[in-house]
Structures are given as C-alpha cells and as structure tokens.
Amino acid sequence: MKRWLFYLLIWIAVAFCLAPFLWQIITSLKSDAAITAVPVSYYPAEATGRHYAELFQRKPFARYLWNSFFISTVSTFLCVGFASLAAYAIARLRVRGSRIFLGLLVAIAFFPPVIFFYPLYEMVRATGTANHSIALIVPYVTFNLPFATLVLAAFFRGVPLDIEEAARVDGFSRWQLLLHIILPLAAPAVATTALLTFINCWNEFLLALTFMTGDSAKTVTAGIASLSGGSSFQIPWGAISAAVVVSTLPLIVMVVLFQRRIVEGLTAGAAKG
C-alpha cells in the first residue's frame, strides 16, 4: 500500500511539473481562432504547424537560439573552470582566511542579482559592450560562481586524501592532481553543476532584455519577449507557445543525455560503504 501511494505521489508531481509544458505544446498546435475559443478546447481539433513556421519567418529565431547557446556555453565553461580552482583551494589548501572566504561566498549566493542591475547597466554603457556577448557572459559567470564553488568544494572534500597522496608520490603537481585525479573522480558533480549553470544562463531574462537591444544580438528569452501581433492589442499566443516549446527542447535533450551523471552527482555521498 505504501509503495502504491509513493508511486502515486510521484506521478502527481510529474504531471504537475509537465502540465504547463504540455499545455504550451497543445496551444502551439492550435489555430488562432481555437486558442481564443470559448469554451476552451483541451486538444487541437485540427493540428497546425503554422506558428512554428511563422516563428522562424517573422523573427531570426535560429539566431536567438545560437546566441543563447553560445553565451550559456561560454559562461558555463568559465564558471565551472574558475569554480573548480576556488573549490580545490577551499577543500585542500591550507589558506589563511579560507573559512572567511567560504562564509562570504555563502552570503553572496543569497544576494538577488537584481540589486546589481544598475551598476552593471552603467558598466555596460561606459564600456560600450551593449549587444556584445561579453555584456552577458561576465555577469552570468559572476552570479553563478558562488553556487558552483560551494557545490564543487563539498564534493572535492569527499575525495579520499590517500589517492592524492599516492599521486603526489608519483610526482603529480597540484595542477595535475586537479586535472587528472580530482575532476575525473568528481565528474558527476561537475556535470550537475555545469548543467544547472547552463540552465540558469539560458533562462536569464532581465539582463538579456536590457543589454541585448539589437535584433541580431538577442537571446531566446529576449526574443520571445519581442514577439508581437498584427496590432498593439493582439498577443500572438500561438507564436509565443511555439517559441517556448522550441526554446525548452534543448534543455530537455541535455537533461536526458546527462541524466545518469546528474543522478550520480545529486546522490553522491548520500550513503557510505
């Protein structure tokens, strides 16, 4: 009885999480008349892919997807790279003030990014980097660095010291230890951290909307916000739903491909022995 109740709760949670995305798929396949029809139809009587075709015809949506992919990928690599160095120093090196530094990281991680919006805006305006990838890459790396460092430091501490000591006897330097011993052993944690960082960068909206004003420089979130109807009073729900589906699919594919690593990273250290 308990097992059936457990599975029932899991299916309810899955349905609750998938319902908005499934509704977007259904809406994207409806005609404009069916979307606004009363009473609401919960499935398209005549499915159409017109909204997907219009999405790429009216806007350079493929460019939006590439911009988001490029910015998120570069930001993730830089963030995980810097976080790995900082996490190794916190976990293994006896550095004076490391506990204070760790406490500052925890405090900074709780700061909402919006409080840095005006300084970032002034910095981008002064440096003339608006509509350039660097205007988003720098803040994305900065905002995700505390979380990534804290997660990786926790996993690095779980790597047995005996392995490092044996490698040091064989002549490994600190760099070689990190690259050839620590990171491969912590691959699930690195993959989980990288994926979460990528998703945060991909979904970011406020900075992308403010700093990327040129149509060819917009990310996918800012591109969706720029979709408009035939008049100022018309909202293109079909095109917006299609854009949401298209922009969500890459994240779903990444999670499916790396799900084993993600599960390993999230459950590592949950049991001993």
Side-chain angles (χ1 to χ4, degrees), residues 75-180:
S75 301
T76 299
F77 272 103
L78 291 176
C79 182
V80 173
F82 291 142
S84 299
L85 297 176
Y88 183 75
I90 293 173
R92 287 291 188 259
L93 303 182
R94 295 181 179 179
V95 181
R96 181 177 297 179
S98 59
R99 291 184 178 273
I100 298 175
F101 177 72
L102 187 60
L104 288 175
L105 277 180
V106 174
I108 293 172
F110 284 100
F111 283 17
V114 71
I115 67 175
F116 303 106
F117 176 75
Y118 182 70
L120 283 173
Y121 176 80
E122 289 297 323
M123 182 183 71
V124 170
R125 186 181 63 82
T127 56
T129 54
N131 294 318
H132 292 277
S133 301
I134 194 68
L136 293 181
I137 291 175
V138 172
Y140 286 178
V141 173
T142 304
F143 292 152
N144 288 283
L145 194 57
F147 166 77
T149 302
L150 292 172
V151 172
L152 291 178
F155 279 93
F156 288 176
R157 287 196 186 98
V159 177
L161 283 171
D162 296 341
I163 298 177
E164 290 190 56
E165 291 174 357
R168 291 296 297 272
V169 172
D170 291 337
F172 275 53
S173 64
R174 289 289 186 184
W175 283 100
Q176 290 173 322
L177 280 174
L178 178 61
L179 294 176
H180 301 292

